[in-house]
């Protein structure tokens, strides 16, 4: 009895989470001239064709991917190095660094967004240069990705046996080599997690990009402008494609993880 | 490694100073200056005119948080009781929608809630009266719950699944029945999860501007919309916008301070490991 | 006097289709300190959890005095458990942990306060009432767990390897303290451990288990002096276990000779296992005795030397206060009292002489010669050596 209740409850929650997505997907195949989101007019792929002919969308997609790759790589390198530094710090400076790191995570996104906008606008006003665009987007994305990288690398450093690095040196390994041979493999899972998080956060970000992009379009910004102006089933097609891509990615990652071992449960927040 | 490694964080420190500390100082600077750059309290004082916007944001954010907690706790509890393999699948399913752009997910609700949207069409089809749902405060709360409930479920699940089974057995052993075990042991021990869940839902909910724009129409202006209007909208006034942002930050800090009162030191130590 | 307080009848328990206990019977007498002793995986913890009510047996019944409590949930049973890792409530302080059970029963504050303080003084933690759990050391947490359970006035206290996490010295102290508390309160203790020394020094009654089956029940001296089979003999202390034949009552043949012994009732020419404790063997001149061999290894153990003697291929272990050199030709003398005869069992031949021990070392040495300084080899070897060392200590 209790079990059945639990199942029904679980089902209802998942229905709540997935129903809108399903509706989007179904109507992306809708054959309609009016662009109705309610009346079913038969199956068609016309909105997909339209989507892939849309030069603006493709450009926005390209921008999004470039920004995501650059900010993931930069924030991973910078963040990993910083995490090692923070790990070696004494209590007080470490606490200060951690507060600065935690700050953008608890601060409302919109406030981070407008503060960065103020920075970039003021910088342009003071030093000249081009107005907001790719440059400011890179800077903003790296900034909000960094804490996530640090917070996924730091625990791995803490867990690491501090004698490992010393043992490597004791056995005749020079310090830098000891780092790459011993420390890096130990913290690799944290680095990878951090990088994946940075990448997905960057792809998905709307609020901060919105305030720092100027006229440059990223995919979320483009989607926003679509929902504001003309509402076309093209957007449904886009959702379906993105959802499909995420599904495939997750399945690949999961199958790979499952094969590696049952492993410790990742904390994907 | 320790001695010279501190220098390694120097680039990060510089970066965060430029892109976190300086921008925050700029917000402060703008909030207390006028357009000409001279000191004024006018911006901060005029935030008072928008107290109804603040109250509405906090109210809707709080309602959404409470609903998320109410729905999310039993759900996380059920998942945590499943076997390990099913737990992983369930958690994957909870996270999957989060990987889809949230504008698109919110847009999906627009198509469902509209006056001639799917739900109303379905109601009409079975002969029930149509219900006006879009552009109401209820729709905004729904959008908040929908978008942020995974942030409630995940930390709750994480504390519940890590909870030491022997502590629960100890409580039973000492004479606690199912309800008593839940109230006296499970809930207090999941406090860190509740707190991080509540924070992770409340903060974005109270500061959102997309959800209110898309589902709330014009009549449900929230703090986020107010800020947006001052920076990229019709009312362009970064000084007022900064003042509103500053007040928003203070409100959230206060709320989090209150939340942390519920968390006594010891559990906190354990909860700290959750991050 | 010896009233049965807990009895397990025909208990069968399986996990994931694997049977841990099958048709298990056990009676526990009121007021006794009973220890369930066995290697890990022998089912001893399962027995304990069945009594506590955390495991519902697939078949069989649990009786408390004369009442069938098989279906009674844990919170309604008059038994309390000390968990392996204490399971103290981390969100409550020492006082509230101890008061937990009494609050559930709705006792008044005054009564609770008095009991908590009594309990704290019993476990020597007076003044710790308002400490947080995380501020306590392992031993202190252990004592809070004991106080918490006793405050609930259980009729039976179940202890699941409670001393396993403590260091050696603390463990010894806690053994004494637990025994004292048991005698003071007169509560029945059911204690689970894999440490035979702990079991022997604390218990009124020891239940030796292996593979979900009771191998022997008896007082510590019985178990040590009269092991029922090769498993018990090997698990409790060091023993040389030899193949023998009971020629007739009071006469047994092993190691190529016939000896007088004190055992009888095995019948004529019956194959048996013969146990000889290393400390019972006397080292004598080779011409004055029947058993003669060469010393192959000597280890100084503090109180005595541990000497391995090769007697026609069978390696004996001897504990002697006299030092011998490797290569010495010596004789081993036995009195009838030193010879314990046991019925053959499924364990016969599993535990033999101490040559397995040396062979293993030999193998390791060869393997490590081949692998030279292969790093992975070391921890395994070290662990094994450590384990053996521990065994030998006992």
């Amino acid at each position: 009895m209790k079990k059945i209740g639990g199942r029904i409850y679980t089902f209802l929650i998942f229905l709540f989470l997935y129903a809108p997505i399903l509706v989007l997907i179904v109507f992306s195949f809708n054959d309609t001239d009016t662009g109705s989101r309610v009346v079913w007019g038969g199956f068609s792929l016309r909105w997909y064709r339209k989507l892939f002919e849309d030069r603006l969308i493709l450009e926005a997609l390209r921008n999004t991917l470039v920004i995501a790759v650059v900010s993931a790589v930069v924030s991973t390198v910078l963040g990993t190095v910083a995490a090692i530094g923070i790990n070696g710090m004494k209590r007080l400076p470490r606490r200060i660094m951690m507060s600065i790191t935690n700050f953008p995570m608890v601060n409302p996104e919109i406030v981070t967004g407008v503060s960065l906008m103020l920075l970039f606008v003021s910088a342009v006003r003071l030093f000249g240069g081009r107005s907001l665009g790719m440059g400011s987007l890179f800077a903003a994305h790296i900034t909000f990705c960094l804490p996530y990288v640090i917070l996924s690398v730091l625990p791995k450093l803490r867990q690491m046996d501090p004698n490992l690095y010393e043992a490597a040196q004791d056995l005749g390994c020079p310090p830098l080599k000891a780092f790459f041979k011993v420390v890096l493999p130990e913290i690799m899972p944290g680095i990878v997690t951090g990088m994946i998080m940075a990448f997905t956060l960057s792809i998905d970000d709307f609020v901060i990009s919105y305030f720092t992009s100027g006229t440059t379009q990223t995919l979320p910004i483009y989607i926003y402008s679509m929902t504001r102006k003309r509402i076309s089933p093209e957007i449904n097609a886009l959702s379906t494609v993105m959802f499909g891509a995420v599904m495939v990615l997750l399945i690949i990652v999961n199958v790979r993880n499952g094969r590696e071992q049952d492993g410790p449960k990742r904390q994907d927040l | 490694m320790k001695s010279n490694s501190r220098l390694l964080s120097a680039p990060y420190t510089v970066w965060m100073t430029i892109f976190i500390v300086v921008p925050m100082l700029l917000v402060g600077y703008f909030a207390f200056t006028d357009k000409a750059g001279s000191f004024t309290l006018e911006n901060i004082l005029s935030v008072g005119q928008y107290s109804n916007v603040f109250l509405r944001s906090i109210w809707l954010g709080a309602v959404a948080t409470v609903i998320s907690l109410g729905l999310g706790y039993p759900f996380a509890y059920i998942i945590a009781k499943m076997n390990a393999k099913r737990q992983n699948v369930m958690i994957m399913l909870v996270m999957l929608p989060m990987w889809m752009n949230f504008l698109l997910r919110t847009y999906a609700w627009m198509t469902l809630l509209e006056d001639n949207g799917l739900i109303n069409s379905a109601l009409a089809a079975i002969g029930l009266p149509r219900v006006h749902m879009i552009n109401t405060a209820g729709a905004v709360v729904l959008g908040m719950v929908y978008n942020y409930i995974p942030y409630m479920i995940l930390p709750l699940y994480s504390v519940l699944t890590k909870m030491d089974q022997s502590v629960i057995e100890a409580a039973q052993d000492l004479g606690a029945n199912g309800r008593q075990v839940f109230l006296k042991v499970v809930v207090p021990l999941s406090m860190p999860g509740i707190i991080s869940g509540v924070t992770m839902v409340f903060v974005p909910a109270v500061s959102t501007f997309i959800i209110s724009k898309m589902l709330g129409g014009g009549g449900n202006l929230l703090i986020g919309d107010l800020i947006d209007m001052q920076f990229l909208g019709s009312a362009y006034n970064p000084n007022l916008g900064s003042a509103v942002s500053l007040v928003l930050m203070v409100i959230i800090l206060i709320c989090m301070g209150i939340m942390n009162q519920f968390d006594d030191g010891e559990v906190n130590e354990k909860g700290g490991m959750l991050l | 006097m010896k009233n049965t307080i807990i009895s397990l009848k025909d208990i069968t328990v399986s996990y994931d289709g694997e049977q841990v206990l099958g048709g298990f019977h056990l009676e526990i007498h009121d007021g006794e300190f009973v220890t369930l002793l066995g290697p890990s995986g022998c089912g001893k913890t399962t027995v304990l959890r069945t009594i506590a009510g955390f495991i519902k047996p697939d078949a069989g019944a649990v009786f408390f005095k004369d009442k069938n409590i098989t279906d009674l949930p844990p919170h309604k049973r008059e038994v309390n458990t000390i968990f392996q890792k204490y399971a103290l409530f981390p969100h409550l302080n020492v006082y509230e942990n101890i008061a937990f059970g009494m609050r559930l029963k709705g006792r008044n504050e005054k009564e609770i306060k008095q009991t908590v303080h009594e309990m704290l003084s019993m476990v020597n933690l007076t003044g710790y009432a308002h400490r947080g759990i995380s501020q306590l050391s392992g031993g202190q947490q252990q004592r809070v767990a004991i106080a918490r359970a006793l405050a609930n006035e259980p009729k039976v206290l179940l202890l699941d390897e409670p001393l396993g996490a403590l260091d050696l010295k603390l463990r010894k102290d806690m053994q004494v303290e637990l025994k004292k508390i048991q005698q003071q309160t007169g509560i029945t203790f059911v204690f689970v451990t894999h440490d035979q020394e702990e079991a022997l020094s604390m218990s009124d009654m020891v239940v030796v288990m292996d593979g979900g089956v009771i191998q022997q029940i008896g007082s510590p001296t019985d178990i040590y002096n009269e092991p029922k089979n090769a498993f018990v003999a090997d698990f409790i202390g060091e023993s040389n276990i030899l193949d023998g034949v009971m020629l007739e009552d009071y006469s047994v043949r092993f190691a190529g000779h016939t000896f007088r012994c004190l055992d009888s009732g095995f019948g004529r020419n019956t194959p048996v296992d013969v146990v000889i404790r290393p400390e019972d063997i006397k080292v004598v001149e080779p011409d004055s005795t029947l058993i003669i061999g060469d010393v192959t290894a000597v280890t100084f153990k503090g109180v005595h030397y541990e000497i391995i003697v090769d007697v026609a291929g069978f390696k004996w272990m001897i504990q002697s206060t006299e030092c011998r050199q490797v290569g010495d030709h010596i004789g081993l003398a036995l009195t009838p009292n030193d010879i314990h005869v046991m019925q053959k069992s499924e364990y016969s031949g599993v535990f033999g002489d101490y040559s397995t021990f040396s062979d293993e070392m030999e193998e390791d040495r060869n393997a490590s010669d081949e692998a030279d300084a292969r790093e992975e080899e070391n921890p395994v070897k070290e662990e094994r050596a450590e384990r053996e060392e521990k065994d030998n200590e006992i």
Side-chain angles (χ1 to χ4, degrees):
Chain A
M1 184 58 213
K2 218 174 172 182
K3 232 179 172 167
I4 294 168
R7 284 212 177 143
I8 293 172
Y9 187 75
T10 318
F11 172 77
L12 286 176
I13 294 279
F14 279 128
L15 184 71
F16 173 62
L17 287 176
Y18 282 91
I21 295 172
L22 280 180
V23 169
L24 275 188
I25 291 174
V26 168
F27 278 87
S28 73
F29 297 107
N30 193 9
D31 190 7
T32 158
D33 288 323
T34 55
S36 163
R37 290 171 289 169
V38 181
V39 184
W40 181 250
F43 181 84
S44 136
L45 289 175
R46 63 196 287 182
W47 301 113
Y48 288 88
R49 215 169 300 128
K50 249 189 129 180
L51 175 71
F52 288 112
E53 284 163 4
D54 192 331
R55 213 178 42 78
L56 283 175
I57 284 194
L58 295 179
E59 198 193 310
L61 180 65
R62 202 202 51 162
N63 285 344
T64 303
L65 289 176
V66 169
I67 293 167
V69 169
V70 170
S71 48
V73 170
V74 175
S75 61
T76 304
V77 173
L78 203 59
T80 304
V81 171
I84 294 166
I86 292 171
N87 194 46
M89 280 178 171
K90 291 209 182 67
R91 220 181 140 79
L92 185 69
R94 188 167 68 205
R95 282 186 70 170
I96 294 171
M97 291 302 281
M98 288 319 288
S99 314
I100 296 177
T101 304
N102 281 319
F103 183 75
M105 301 186 73
V106 289
N107 202 24
E109 265 191 308
I110 190 170
V111 178
T112 308
V114 300
S115 73
L116 283 166
M117 181 186 176
L118 286 177
L119 175 78
F120 296 135
V121 170
S122 308
V124 167
R125 205 173 291 159
L126 278 177
F127 307 113
R130 285 184 297 149
S131 60
L132 308 191
M134 286 301 260
S136 53
L137 279 170
F138 283 140
H141 279 234
I142 292 166
T143 306
F144 74 72
C145 289
L146 270 169
Y148 290 91
V149 174
I150 290 177
L151 289 179
S152 40
V153 174
L154 216 47
K156 293 283 167 214
L157 282 166
R158 292 264 168 79
Q159 282 166 21
M160 197 179 72
D161 181 348
N163 291 336
L164 269 185
Y165 180 72
E166 283 156 14
Q169 286 182 306
D170 186 65
L171 294 167
C173 209
L176 203 61
K177 199 171 173 195
F179 171 78
F180 281 107
K181 284 235 162 210
V182 177
V183 179
L184 202 60
E186 277 291 302
I187 61 173
M188 211 43 173
I191 297 175
V192 171
T193 310
M195 182 129 116
I196 292 173
M197 269 209 255
F199 184 76
T200 52
L201 282 167
S202 168
I203 283 195
D204 208 40
D205 175 70
F206 168 70
V207 176
I208 292 172
S209 307
Y210 176 71
F211 288 102
T212 54
S213 61
T215 53
T216 308
Q217 296 272 350
T218 66
L219 206 51
I221 292 174
Y222 188 74
I223 294 167
Y224 178 67
S225 62
M226 275 170 98
T227 63
R228 301 254 74 193
K229 289 179 268 170
R230 58 194 172 94
I231 293 180
S232 138
E234 228 176 287
I235 204 173
N236 296 40
L238 180 60
S239 319
T240 310
V241 170
M242 290 181 73
F243 190 70
V246 166
M247 280 267 271
V248 170
L249 250 169
L250 277 186
I251 288 169
I252 291 172
V253 168
N254 248 42
V255 167
R256 223 196 45 165
N257 275 0
R259 215 177 286 158
E260 264 171 27
Q261 51 169 311
D262 274 358
K265 227 170 278 156
R266 264 187 317 137
Q267 183 119 41
D268 292 64
L269 273 180
Chain B
M1 178 159 85
K2 301 257 149 142
S3 56
N4 51 14
S5 69
R6 262 168 269 161
L7 285 174
L8 291 175
S9 59
Y12 173 70
T13 315
V14 172
W15 184 281
M16 291 308 259
T17 310
I18 297 175
F19 292 106
I20 294 293
V21 179
V22 171
M24 280 305 140
L25 294 177
L26 278 175
V27 170
Y29 171 76
F30 272 80
F32 288 103
T33 51
D34 59 20
K35 288 205 167 71
S38 46
F39 177 81
T40 175
L41 280 175
E42 199 187 316
N43 300 314
I44 294 291
L45 293 175
S46 57
V47 169
Q49 296 166 15
Y50 300 99
S51 56
N52 59 332
V53 176
F54 275 86
L55 288 177
R56 187 186 300 121
S57 291
I58 292 168
W59 169 242
L60 294 184
V63 170
T65 307
V66 169
I67 294 175
S68 299
L69 181 60
L71 289 176
Y73 200 104
F75 186 71
Y77 192 78
I78 292 170
I79 294 182
K81 287 261 174 273
M82 292 175 176
N83 65 40
K85 229 178 179 163
R86 283 192 69 189
Q87 283 186 18
N88 284 339
V89 174
M90 291 293 170
I91 286 305
M92 273 282 293
L93 285 174
V94 171
M95 290 188 348
L96 190 55
M98 285 188 356
W99 288 58
M100 192 173 181
N101 189 285
F102 96 109
L103 292 161
L104 292 174
R105 280 180 285 143
T106 312
Y107 165 76
W109 277 106
M110 281 172 80
T111 67
L112 283 171
L113 298 177
E114 274 169 335
D115 285 343
N116 49 7
L118 269 186
I119 293 177
N120 271 323
S121 307
L123 286 177
I126 54 171
L128 291 168
R130 286 167 183 267
V131 184
H132 176 66
M133 289 175 289
I134 194 89
N135 299 347
T136 60
V140 175
V141 170
L142 179 98
M144 288 173 175
V145 173
Y146 179 73
N147 274 305
Y148 304 127
I149 198 170
Y151 295 111
M152 180 66 85
I153 293 170
L154 292 177
L156 285 174
Y157 161 76
S158 154
V159 283
L160 287 171
T161 190
K162 276 187 207 136
M163 198 169 284
D164 187 355
Q165 196 56 34
S166 68
V167 173
I168 291 165
E169 282 181 356
Q172 292 174 342
D173 190 72
L174 293 166
N177 61 30
R179 220 176 65 93
Q180 288 166 323
V181 171
F182 185 75
L183 292 177
K184 292 197 171 234
V185 178
V186 177
V187 170
L189 286 181
S190 48
M191 221 47 200
I194 294 175
I195 283 164
S196 79
V198 165
T199 318
M200 287 170 77
V201 172
F202 183 73
V203 172
V206 91
S207 61
T208 184
F209 67 102
I210 312 295
I211 294 171
S212 50
K213 244 181 201 163
M214 290 172 78
L215 300 176
N220 288 292
L221 196 70
L222 299 186
I223 303 174
D225 302 299
L226 194 60
I227 296 174
D228 177 33
M229 277 161 57
Q230 312 307 321
F231 284 94
L232 288 170
S234 45
Y236 186 74
N237 183 355
N239 300 90
L240 178 59
S242 297
V244 176
S245 303
L246 211 57
V247 175
L248 173 62
M249 276 169 65
V250 169
I251 288 173
I252 281 171
L253 279 179
I254 292 171
C255 289
M256 285 174 58
I258 295 170
M259 280 308 295
N260 283 329
Q261 290 302 307
F262 287 103
D263 200 0
D264 59 298
E266 249 158 89
V267 182
N268 210 351
E269 255 169 53
K270 278 199 133 184
M273 294 191 297
L274 286 171
L275 258 180
Chain C
M1 158 79 206
K2 285 212 166 176
N3 292 322
T4 302
I5 185 156
I6 294 278
S7 56
L8 300 175
K9 293 197 170 135
D10 241 341
I11 299 286
T12 300
V13 177
S14 315
Y15 294 128
D16 303 324
E18 209 171 307
Q19 186 169 308
V20 183
L21 296 177
F24 188 88
H25 278 274
L26 180 65
E27 296 214 334
I28 292 166
H29 301 299
D30 199 3
E32 275 191 348
F33 194 122
V34 179
T35 299
L36 304 176
L37 172 67
S40 55
C42 72
K44 55 195 190 302
T45 297
T46 306
V47 172
L48 203 73
R49 292 171 62 80
T50 306
I51 300 173
F54 297 123
I55 292 175
K56 201 177 165 320
D58 304 331
V62 183
F63 287 87
F64 180 82
K65 290 178 179 156
D66 295 322
K67 206 172 77 196
N68 186 335
I69 57 165
T70 317
D71 294 316
L72 208 63
H75 68 267
K76 290 191 178 149
R77 298 194 182 192
E78 286 179 275
V79 300
N80 282 120
T81 309
I82 309 283
F83 292 84
Q84 205 163 9
K85 295 203 183 85
Y86 323 137
L88 296 174
F89 304 119
H91 61 297
L92 303 176
N93 64 18
V94 171
Y95 185 98
E96 288 301 322
N97 261 283
I98 299 173
F100 190 89
M102 290 182 281
R103 289 210 195 288
L104 291 172
K105 289 195 184 114
R107 298 277 154 79
N108 68 45
E109 265 329 291
K110 216 177 125 198
E111 209 176 333
I112 290 174
K113 194 172 175 185
Q114 195 193 339
T115 314
V116 169
H117 285 119
E118 271 170 27
M119 290 301 145
L120 282 174
S121 84
M122 179 177 343
V123 297
N124 292 327
L125 282 177
T126 310
Y128 283 75
H130 298 286
R131 295 277 181 103
I133 294 307
S134 57
Q135 292 164 269
L136 301 179
S137 70
Q140 290 168 336
Q141 291 191 15
Q142 178 64 79
R143 282 181 277 165
V144 174
I146 294 166
R148 180 179 73 175
L150 291 177
N152 234 25
E153 296 172 343
K155 297 286 186 296
V156 178
L157 190 67
L158 309 173
L159 303 99
D160 185 6
E161 303 220 21
L163 310 182
L166 305 180
D167 64 50
L168 189 66
K169 191 174 176 319
L170 204 53
R171 200 154 72 211
K172 302 262 182 215
D173 294 346
M174 282 306 294
Q175 286 175 9
V176 176
E177 209 163 327
L178 271 178
K179 184 71 191 163
K180 205 179 76 196
I181 290 171
Q182 196 263 335
Q183 281 162 346
Q184 257 173 33
T185 56
I187 295 171
T188 311
F189 275 33
V190 183
F191 187 93
V192 159
T193 183
H194 62 265
D195 181 337
Q196 43 115 355
E197 195 196 1
E198 203 164 274
L200 296 181
S201 62
M202 297 169 78
S203 326
D204 297 319
M205 185 74 86
V206 178
V207 180
V208 185
M209 288 178 66
D210 185 52
V213 177
I214 295 178
Q215 302 296 333
Q216 188 168 1
I217 301 183
S219 70
T221 45
D222 284 352
I223 299 256
Y224 188 83
N225 291 334
E226 300 295 335
K228 264 207 182 122
N229 61 32
F231 174 82
V232 179
D234 185 77
F235 196 76
I236 314 275
E238 295 291 337
S239 24
N240 298 294
I241 304 174
L242 296 101
D243 251 341
V245 177
M246 201 70 187
L247 299 174
E248 54 184 22
D249 283 357
Y250 312 114
S251 175
V252 62
R253 186 174 176 81
F254 61 92
H257 303 278
T258 306
F259 296 84
R260 272 192 355 98
C261 64
L262 304 178
D263 301 86
S264 62
F266 287 86
R268 281 173 165 271
N269 295 321
T270 317
V272 289
D273 283 334
V274 178
V275 178
I276 296 155
R277 296 288 185 189
E279 71 272 20
D280 290 342
I281 304 169
K282 270 174 283 304
V283 178
V284 293
E285 289 308 308
D287 49 8
S288 64
T289 184
L290 295 170
I291 308 167
I292 301 155
D294 298 309
V295 175
T296 61
V298 180
T299 318
F300 180 56
K301 290 287 178 184
V303 187
H304 56 252
Y305 293 91
E306 204 166 82
I307 304 168
I308 304 291
V309 184
D310 187 330
V311 180
F314 189 95
K315 298 224 165 75
W316 292 60
M317 180 196 277
I318 298 161
Q319 289 166 354
S320 165
T321 47
E322 266 176 75
C323 182
R324 294 286 162 162
Q325 299 305 317
V326 172
D328 279 3
H329 196 61
I330 58 168
L332 311 179
L334 300 170
T335 64
N337 199 23
D338 303 333
I339 298 165
H340 308 289
V341 179
M342 308 181 302
Q343 218 112 45
K344 282 277 178 191
S345 69
E346 53 173 313
Y347 295 102
S348 301
V350 177
F351 309 103
D353 64 356
Y354 283 85
S355 60
T356 44
F357 173 94
S358 0
D359 283 348
E360 208 174 313
M361 296 288 272
E362 202 84 346
E363 256 166 51
D364 281 351
R365 208 168 298 139
N366 294 339
S368 60
D369 278 349
E370 283 160 29
D372 211 15
R374 235 173 58 207
E375 262 181 85
E376 303 95 302
E377 196 74 7
N378 290 332
V380 181
K381 239 175 75 181
E382 220 169 73
E383 191 186 272
R384 197 183 291 159
E386 210 173 73
R387 203 175 55 217
E388 273 157 5
E389 198 176 33
K390 212 190 292 169
D391 287 348
N392 296 346
E393 234 170 50
I394 296 157

